Amino acid sequence: MDLKEYRDKRDFSKTPEPRPRKPGAGRPNLVYVIQEHDASRLHYDLRLERSGVLQSWAIPKLPVMEQGVKRLAIQTEDHPLGYEDFEGVIPKPEYGAGTVKIWDRGVYTPVETAPDRLVVDIDGRRLKGRFALIRIKAREGTDKAWLFFKIKERERDEDKPPGTKKP
Ligand code: MN
């Protein structure tokens, strides 16, 4: 993961978006944010802090808390830490021209981090609980398509305190 594509697409003398900066040391929590981006098409940009950057997906439809309701999430270029604070207007004809507003933010905890499957516990203002991001198998030469949806927090006997295990 690096920020070359993010940097290459933008002219920081023209867009008010943040320039990449060094990740802050010793962050206690991992950043979670969803930004509503009213660009050529309204979409929701999900970003999760991972390896010092914000891994990013564009979700065309409003994310929901309803279990199992799947949303397509197209992976986009990694964004720099600090972008989670960005709200503003990206001027035309710059990349992503339109209005960015924070729709939800908070922290998250990774539960599973396989290359094609992320499971995260999100603690935001709107979204809370366990969510999965599953990569859809390459179709038409793209590996950028994922599904984002809420899943059940599986109850596991081994996680329960002693004395509460089922016989
Ligand atoms: Mn966007």
Side-chain angles (χ1 to χ4, degrees):
M1 288 173 197
D2 69 79
L3 295 166
K4 187 181 183 308
E5 189 181 347
Y6 178 88
R7 203 177 272 119
D8 287 350
K9 282 178 168 168
R10 292 169 175 81
D11 178 347
F12 294 104
S13 66
K14 293 187 178 139
T15 177
E17 295 168 289
R19 287 168 197 267
R21 62 170 166 81
K22 292 237 164 71
R27 284 168 167 273
N29 291 302
L30 295 170
V31 169
Y32 148 76
V33 71
I34 293 178
Q35 282 153 320
E36 186 184 272
H37 188 183
D38 194 2
S40 47
R41 272 186 70 176
L42 177 69
H43 60 273
Y44 298 84
D45 288 308
L46 165 67
R47 309 190 198 283
L48 298 172
E49 178 180 355
R50 223 181 151 196
S51 307
V53 298
L54 296 172
Q55 205 172 7
S56 299
W57 294 263
I59 302 177
K61 281 186 169 178
L62 192 69
V64 288
M65 279 289 286
E66 220 176 306
Q67 236 171 57
V69 177
K70 295 181 172 70
R71 291 291 186 245
L72 181 66
I74 304 298
Q75 192 167 7
T76 57
E77 77 273 25
D78 294 339
H79 277 50
L81 280 172
Y83 202 96
E84 70 273 15
D85 296 323
F86 177 71
E87 288 191 302
V89 178
I90 303 167
K92 285 180 181 172
E94 298 308 303
Y95 179 73
T99 304
V100 176
K101 282 183 203 157
I102 295 166
W103 181 80
D104 193 21
R105 72 174 295 176
V107 294
Y108 86 97
T109 308
V111 179
E112 270 185 67
T113 54
D116 294 333
R117 178 183 161 89
L118 296 178
V119 177
V120 292
D121 284 339
I122 289 177
D123 186 11
R125 289 178 311 215
R126 293 179 193 251
L127 299 191
K128 284 181 195 294
R130 187 156 295 179
F131 285 79
L133 273 155
I134 311 288
R135 197 197 298 267
I136 302 172
K137 289 294 162 215
R139 270 189 321 196
E140 294 154 23
T142 175
D143 59 353
K144 304 285 185 199
W146 298 62
L147 292 172
F148 176 65
F149 55 100
K150 178 123 173 36
I151 59 172
K152 196 172 194 164
E153 279 153 70
R154 211 177 353 157
E155 261 193 289
R156 291 185 307 180
D157 281 342
E158 60 267 30
D159 291 342
K160 292 179 184 168
T164 61
K165 288 186 182 176
K166 285 176 196 148

